[in-house]
Amino acid sequence: MMIGYARVSTDEQNLALQLDALRGAGCAEVFQDTGSGAEFSRAGLDRALAALEPGGVLAVWKLDRLGRSMLVTVKIVLDLDRRGVGFRSLTESFDTKTALGRGVLTASVGTPVHFSVLYGLWISNFAGGAIAAALERATNFLSVAQSQPSSGPLLIGHRILALSLMLSGDYHAALAHVETAVSLYRPDEHRDSALHYGQDIGFTAFVQLSWALWHIGHPDQSARAADRALALSRQLGHAHTLAHAFWFAGMAAVFARDVAAARAHCNNCVALASEHGFAFWAAYGQILQGWADAQQGEATTGIACIRDGLAAAEATGNHGAVPFHLTLLAEALALAGEIKESLATLDDALAQAAVSGVRGWDAEIHRLHGELTARLPHPDPAKAEESFRTALAIAREQGTRGYELRAATSLARLWGGKGRRGEAHDLLAPVYGWFTEGFDTADLKDAKALLDELA
């Protein structure tokens, strides 16, 4: 018999979603609690555990409904297993009858197998586009790693939390974690990490650092971090690590609007991925190829390439970067003159971001929406200005200097065209003036040229 357990933290939250899911999964009875915190007494959980008999199954909607932390959850699941009782999490496809579920039961806390399981739980949410759940999993991973003597899991914990934070749109916090990950890397100590996590943990930290540095406003340092990651990955000779590095470096080049570098990195990514059968990296690399095609004047080819890449990525079950990929598609459609379809694609990207929590590209999506609104047959300057203001506010809130500069440039250009040259200059000048490097990058060149016009 399967028994369900549901919990919310406050009376204002609704248990209906959990109850419906648990009953729909076949639970004969569902016990429930309302509350959280160390002092909270879970009478409903106690009754659920008491009602279970050998051969039965305890089901929850999500793992975090069961325990106050991953350590508590694992302890409960282990206790259930000793009683001959199974455990199942509905939304995370976690079942102690599966290989992944058995991994939790057979591994002691802090062992390599235990960390592999925790990593698997993180990546299943991250790849599935469930960024809030991925943040929880990464936080749990780091919490466990901080209690262990080995630096490898600690490095991984900071790295996956940094990546989750970047996709959610918290760039300052992400930079702190990825810098910590880089500082922890010791090649000799961590050389076997690719066997456990699919790619070398240090090189992946370096290439993620390139993303964070660009957003924080250090484009030259970003490029150097990407180049270092690629050089180290080539020396390692591990194909999956190198494919990973090519794609991340390609993304850093897309951020910087460096079309030539993006083209080189994504071509290398697709070639290597195709050679070794890495379907995921081949699909993601193809999307970047399509963006580069469109930027180089081959918009129709680029659109087809991006769409093929999106379909291939969907087939792998990975949805983590969908809002960004749709933004690249919207750019290509705009370059082909398909303004209305491009706007619809941006609306889709925002809708996907709202559902998944992948909000790290919201500022750029709103900025592009403003640019395209101004290009409609019947432009709406007020609506375009609203989009630029929204983009600027989001960029400042999230701590992305790169997107802040773009949004300020777009809004200043709009104001300048309406005769508000002084206001436009006063808006853009301090944003541009903050930068101390990257003056040969496309965004800073555009901003400088506009400031010269407005002076």
Side-chain angles (χ1 to χ4, degrees):
M1 180 173 66
M2 186 157 65
I3 297 293
Y5 174 67
R7 179 180 64 84
V8 291
S9 299
T10 67
D11 290 327
E12 287 73 29
Q13 295 175 319
N14 196 331
L15 277 165
L17 178 62
Q18 296 181 51
L19 296 176
D20 289 346
L22 290 165
R23 288 166 181 155
C27 290
E29 190 172 4
V30 179
F31 296 87
Q32 53 191 274
D33 282 317
T34 299
S36 63
E39 303 302 321
F40 168 54
S41 177
R42 302 188 179 202
L45 178 59
D46 291 340
R47 290 196 299 272
L49 296 175
L52 288 159
E53 297 180 354
V57 174
L58 176 65
V60 295
W61 187 56
K62 290 177 62 178
L63 283 169
D64 62 7
R65 300 300 84 196
L66 182 61
R68 299 182 180 96
S69 68
M70 181 58 73
L71 290 174
V72 174
T73 297
V74 170
K75 182 180 183 302
I76 294 173
V77 173
L78 288 169
D79 288 342
L80 290 172
D81 186 65
R82 282 190 284 269
R83 292 171 49 192
V85 176
F87 173 74
R88 180 182 174 194
S89 170
L90 302 183
T91 60
E92 291 146 323
S93 299
F94 181 90
D95 192 324
T96 55
K97 295 179 181 178
T98 67
L100 178 62
R102 295 304 303 176
V104 171
L105 301 179
T106 58
S108 299
V109 171
T111 64
V113 172
H114 181 229
F115 280 117
S116 294
V117 170
L118 296 182
Y119 186 82
L121 291 171
W122 168 76
I123 204 166
S124 65
N125 285 285
F126 182 83
I131 198 64
L135 279 166
E136 291 178 10
R137 300 290 165 258
T139 301
N140 282 332
F141 189 109
L142 182 58
S143 177
V144 177
Q146 287 170 334
S147 67
Q148 303 300 312
S150 174
S151 62
L154 192 60
L155 190 165
I156 283 287
H158 283 290
R159 182 185 76 78
I160 65 176
L161 184 53
L163 188 55
S164 302
L165 286 165
M166 277 192 276
L167 263 67
S168 72
D170 189 345
Y171 290 102
H172 280 302
L175 179 66
H177 283 289
V178 77
E179 285 182 332
T180 300
V182 167
S183 72
L184 290 168
Y185 183 56
R186 303 289 182 270
D188 292 340
E189 181 181 347
H190 304 134
R191 194 173 302 279
D192 65 344
S193 64
L195 300 176
H196 296 293
Y197 299 103
Q199 57 273 325
D200 184 277
I201 59 178
F203 300 174
T204 56
F206 283 122
V207 78
Q208 282 178 213
L209 179 63
S210 70
W211 282 25
L213 287 169
W214 184 88
H215 281 284
I216 293 300
H218 301 295
D220 289 344
Q221 293 179 53
S222 168
R224 289 196 294 271
D227 288 344
R228 182 181 182 186
L230 283 170
L232 291 171
S233 297
R234 287 189 173 100
Q235 293 173 14
L236 181 67
H238 184 256
H240 199 264
T241 296
L242 186 55
H244 183 280
F246 277 137
W247 184 78
F248 270 80
M251 283 284 288
V254 170
F255 293 148
R257 317 296 292 180
D258 187 341
V259 179
R263 161 69 73 186
H265 295 324
C266 66
N267 283 353
N268 286 331
C269 179
V270 171
L272 185 65
S274 299
E275 177 186 352
H276 292 276
F278 303 148
F280 167 72
W281 294 120
Y284 269 36
Q286 188 176 11
I287 293 168
L288 299 192
Q289 282 181 325
W291 178 85
D293 285 341
Q295 296 295 320
Q296 293 176 329
E298 301 174 15
T300 301
T301 301
I303 292 167
C305 192
I306 293 172
R307 284 177 169 156
D308 287 346
L310 284 168
E314 175 70 22
T316 70
N318 195 305
H319 312 288
V322 169
F324 181 74
H325 290 156
L326 290 174
T327 306
L328 299 186
L329 176 59
E331 283 193 61
L333 288 164
L335 290 169
E338 301 292 341
I339 305 303
K340 289 185 177 180
E341 187 175 358
S342 180
L343 284 167
T345 301
L346 291 174
D347 289 338
D348 188 15
L350 284 174
Q352 297 264 8
V355 172
S356 66
V358 180
R359 312 307 298 255
W361 295 289
D362 278 11
E364 181 66 352
I365 296 171
H366 281 286
R367 186 193 71 83
L368 287 170
H369 206 285
E371 293 283 359
L372 296 176
T373 299
R375 289 177 55 186
L376 287 168
H378 301 288
D380 186 342
K383 189 172 182 180
E385 180 171 343
E386 181 184 355
S387 292
F388 294 148
R389 286 182 178 274
T390 299
L392 191 59
I394 292 172
R396 286 171 172 168
E397 179 185 355
Q398 294 184 345
T400 165
R401 293 276 187 179
Y403 284 160
E404 181 185 359
L405 179 66
R406 284 190 197 167
T409 301
S410 292
L411 183 54
R413 184 176 289 113
L414 177 68
W415 283 355
K418 295 168 66 175
R420 300 164 61 182
R421 299 171 64 86
E423 291 177 80
H425 186 276
D426 290 347
L427 168 71
L428 182 56
V431 180
Y432 177 83
W434 180 90
F435 285 84
T436 59
E437 63 179 64
F439 296 108
D440 59 347
T441 60
D443 289 334
L444 283 159
K445 284 181 177 179
D446 287 347
K448 180 62 166 63
L450 179 58
L451 283 171
D452 290 345
E453 286 180 32
L454 296 170

